[in-house]
Amino acid sequence: MTVTPETVSSTAPALRKRRPPEPAAGTRRRSLRPTLTGWSFILPNFLGFALLTLVPMVFGLALSFMEWSPWGDPEWVGFENFERMFRSSTFWIALWNTTYYAAGHIPLTIVVSLGLALLLNRTLSGLGFFRTAFFLPYVTSLVAVAVVWNMLFNPTSGPVNQFLQFVGVTDPPGWTSSTAWAMPAVIVASVWRDMGYYMVLFLAGLQTIPTELYEAARVDGANAWQRFRNITLPGLRPTTFFVLIMCTVASFKVFDLIVVMTDGGPGRATKVLSQLIYEEGIREGRFGLASAISLVLFVLVAGFTVLQFVIQRHREDR
Amino acid sequence: MTANLTAPVARKPTTNAPSGPRRPPGRARVRAAVHSVLLAGLCLLVLVPFVWMISSSLKHDNQVFTVPTQWIPREFVWSNYADIWTQIPMLAYLRNSAFLAITISFLQVLTGSFAAYGFAKLRFPGRDWLFLAYLATIAVPWQAYMIPQYLIMEKLGLVNTHLSIILLQAFGAFGVFLMRQYYQSIPDELIEAARIDGLSEYRIWWRIMLPLSRPAIASLGLLTFVATWNDYMGPFIYFTSNELWTVQLGLRSFVGQYDAAYAMIMTGSVISVVPVVLVFLLGQRHFIQGIATSGLKG
């Protein structure tokens, strides 16, 4: 693995080397004091983080092996929750839908946001306006996004289908009212919403690539595609990796947009794992079963994240 | 695993403008024109939903869906913007959203930057392990621990209070990560000098780090504000009383109750978007800079 200036823990050794000798004091005080100071900085955040993130994570793991409802005492039941989960057809449908959403959302978002970043990564008039315009969907209220897209996708008189009919599609899809087209509709709306955020991240990455590399390549006669392939893509690798991880996590936990746009329907066509966790856990009070589903979601995301780390490392070793 | 999860940090705020002096100027101008037209077209396409939202909010309900779509209303129904306040308690929803978003952003920036200083510029045993724990949790979806979190909150008696969402969202690992990333770009020499001058670590954080990290603070503050304002699931799970509801919940229930009141729903949508867009536009310059050049100050 290469160590770049931005890597996470690279300045620490340098800092230790440069630290001036501390004023004479007792040996114990000298070793304890930096520790206490360090912890005092982290503590305010850590207290909240530990109590409300770390503890629930561990607690959740235990919970998935327990039968626990608001009406009874917790009881250790081993793998019963998992057996029940694997027998439920809704679980398999939600698992499939989550994967479907991620498989559509991740590549589309990355291609669109990288494309926009490439288009905007140059000096042109109105640059600020364009950047703001493309970022605007990301700051838009979620419910507003969902409702507007539902209206745009209206099967009979929405502008999307009017346009499709105009260009000659005689039987345009019913979008959110059709089991086959509801998920693509949700994916389109979500890509529209998220692309601006990842675009800014890609723009930042593009600006770390030294301009001289492009000039040198141009002198050597490399065409636009070759420059993109041999300079831009490798130069963007840390950014792409970061974006990929953030986008993966975001995709697998999708909930808000789906609940407001389709509420998992029509039928179970867009029901995703997060929604199932909410329904089983909070609404039905089956905490154990919901935690078992949570564990599947966690394993899924962790698996993909680790896979991306492995691929990333493999690429760098070459 | 930490070694490569790098945030996009810019070393150079220059753009890679095609600055080929050997290129014939006429061809370059044509390319620039094509480029601008392409961008303008894409931009229009991206803005269509906004145009629809605003134009529908100024129509009567029965004029929203017409074939072909009227992008500019024949008659501007400004009264929608007066009526919405009496149809739903919009003002209360806005107040709740603003309260939560401001409080949470403030706490995120405060505790996040404080912890980030510890992680970035101080050295003590256990530090790197602790940071690894923070980092690892960024990749864990919230839904994976939302049930136990809910049970803890219930035991603490905090379900159906604003405090629950504040506690849940104010101590995010992402904030610590983002601020630390920025602090690492501030030269250690500066802090060494301050230490030699006799400043305590706390004063270094307050007097040197905070003022220097304004773009990073703007980014984190804005991202948190936007995320809290637009969050649906958190308030949806925790707030059962109507008077605690945020704009998102209020709007959503309005849609459920009056699903044919298209124009009014769009009016509510526009109103729900305005505050967050205003906040974004105000901080926009710092914000894009904060993300895009968070390797350099200013």
Side-chain angles (χ1 to χ4, degrees), chain A residues 151 157, chain B residues 52 55-57 59-66 69-70 261-264 266:
Chain A
M151 291 170 87
S157 39
Chain B
W52 170 271
S55 116
S56 304
S57 75
K59 292 176 181 172
H60 292 293
D61 286 335
N62 58 4
Q63 291 171 338
V64 170
F65 285 115
T66 50
T69 303
Q70 272 174 36
Y262 304 113
M264 204 52 104
M266 286 296 97

Side-chain angles (χ1 to χ4, degrees), chain A residues 1-2 6-9 11-12 15-16 18-20 34-35 37-42 44-46 48-49 51-54 56-57 59-60 63 116 119-124 129-144 147-149 151-152 154 157 159 162 192 195 197 200-201 204 206-209 211-212 214-215 218-219 238-239 241-242 246 249 253 255-256 259-260 274 277-278 281-282 287 290 294 297-298 301 309 312 316, chain B residues 1-6 8-12 14-17 19 22-23 35 38-40 42-43 46 49-50 52-53 64-69 71 111-112 114-115 117-119 121-125 127 130-131 134 137 139-141 143-153 167 171 173-174 176-177 180-181 184 188-189 192 195 201-202 205 223 226 229-233 236-237 248 251-252 255 262 265-266 269 272-273 276 280-281 284 287 291-292:
Chain A
M1 252 184 231
T2 52
E6 316 91 326
T7 43
V8 170
S9 49
T11 56
L15 181 67
R16 187 171 36 178
R18 265 184 240 130
R19 170 163 285 183
T35 309
T37 314
W39 269 96
S40 74
F41 272 98
I42 287 154
N45 189 282
F46 183 72
F49 173 72
L51 183 66
L52 294 161
T53 302
L54 289 182
M57 277 180 189
F59 179 25
L63 203 55
L116 288 178
L119 278 175
L120 285 179
N121 189 40
R122 53 182 73 200
T123 41
L124 79 163
F129 171 78
F130 286 126
R131 284 185 184 180
T132 308
F134 290 128
F135 197 80
L136 221 46
Y138 185 72
V139 298
T140 303
S141 282
L142 180 109
V143 175
V147 177
V148 167
W149 277 95
M151 291 170 87
L152 293 175
N154 184 302
S157 39
Q162 280 186 43
W192 176 80
M195 62 188 183
Y197 177 63
V200 172
L201 297 183
L206 284 173
Q207 292 178 358
T208 64
I209 304 173
T211 324
E212 300 81 51
Y214 289 97
E215 276 155 16
R218 216 175 265 129
V219 171
T239 312
F241 180 61
F242 181 76
M246 296 315 274
V249 179
K253 69 175 192 187
F255 174 87
D256 300 14
V259 166
V260 187
S274 301
I277 296 170
Y278 162 75
I282 312 273
F287 302 137
S294 301
L297 182 67
F298 169 72
V301 174
F309 267 107
Q312 164 85 355
E316 277 183 359
Chain B
M1 90 176 234
T2 56
N4 269 68
L5 189 56
T6 56
V9 172
R11 257 170 266 147
K12 241 185 178 184
T14 52
T15 49
N16 302 318
S19 55
R22 285 163 300 279
R23 190 182 294 278
H35 188 85
L38 183 65
L39 263 177
L42 277 174
C43 199
V46 165
F50 291 105
W52 170 271
M53 201 191 299
V64 170
F65 285 115
T66 50
V67 182
T69 303
W71 291 100
T111 67
F114 202 57
Y117 182 72
F119 280 124
K121 298 294 183 198
L122 295 173
R123 197 165 169 85
F124 55 94
R127 183 193 72 169
L130 200 58
F131 188 65
Y134 267 84
T137 58
V140 178
Q143 281 81 353
Y145 52 96
M146 126 190 135
I147 301 291
Q149 223 174 29
Y150 184 82
L151 293 174
I152 291 174
M153 283 297 186
L167 287 175
F171 304 102
F174 186 76
V176 176
F177 175 70
R180 178 182 180 275
Q181 207 66 24
Q184 294 216 309
D188 289 337
E189 286 79 4
E192 292 304 334
R195 282 189 187 129
E201 300 294 337
Y202 306 101
W205 169 75
L223 279 180
V226 169
W229 186 277
N230 292 341
D231 184 23
Y232 181 76
M233 195 174 189
F236 179 63
I237 290 172
Q248 308 299 325
L251 200 58
R252 165 69 180 162
V255 175
Y262 304 113
I265 286 168
M266 286 296 97
S269 298
S272 77
V273 174
V276 69
F280 168 68
L281 288 180
Q284 190 257 124
F287 170 68
I291 297 188

Side-chain angles (χ1 to χ4, degrees), chain B residues 158-236:
Chain B
L158 293 176
V159 170
N160 202 25
T161 64
H162 276 162
L163 191 58
S164 60
I165 291 295
I166 293 176
L167 287 175
L168 287 187
Q169 300 183 355
F171 304 102
F174 186 76
V176 176
F177 175 70
L178 195 136
M179 292 306 293
R180 178 182 180 275
Q181 207 66 24
Y182 193 86
Y183 282 175
Q184 294 216 309
S185 71
I186 296 176
D188 289 337
E189 286 79 4
L190 201 65
I191 288 147
E192 292 304 334
R195 282 189 187 129
I196 291 166
D197 286 349
L199 249 64
S200 72
E201 300 294 337
Y202 306 101
R203 293 195 60 180
I204 294 178
W205 169 75
W206 176 249
R207 299 274 303 274
I208 298 175
M209 295 305 257
L210 275 189
L212 280 182
S213 56
R214 211 167 289 151
I217 291 175
S219 313
L220 179 58
L222 262 165
L223 279 180
T224 314
F225 188 94
V226 169
T228 317
W229 186 277
N230 292 341
D231 184 23
Y232 181 76
M233 195 174 189
F236 179 63

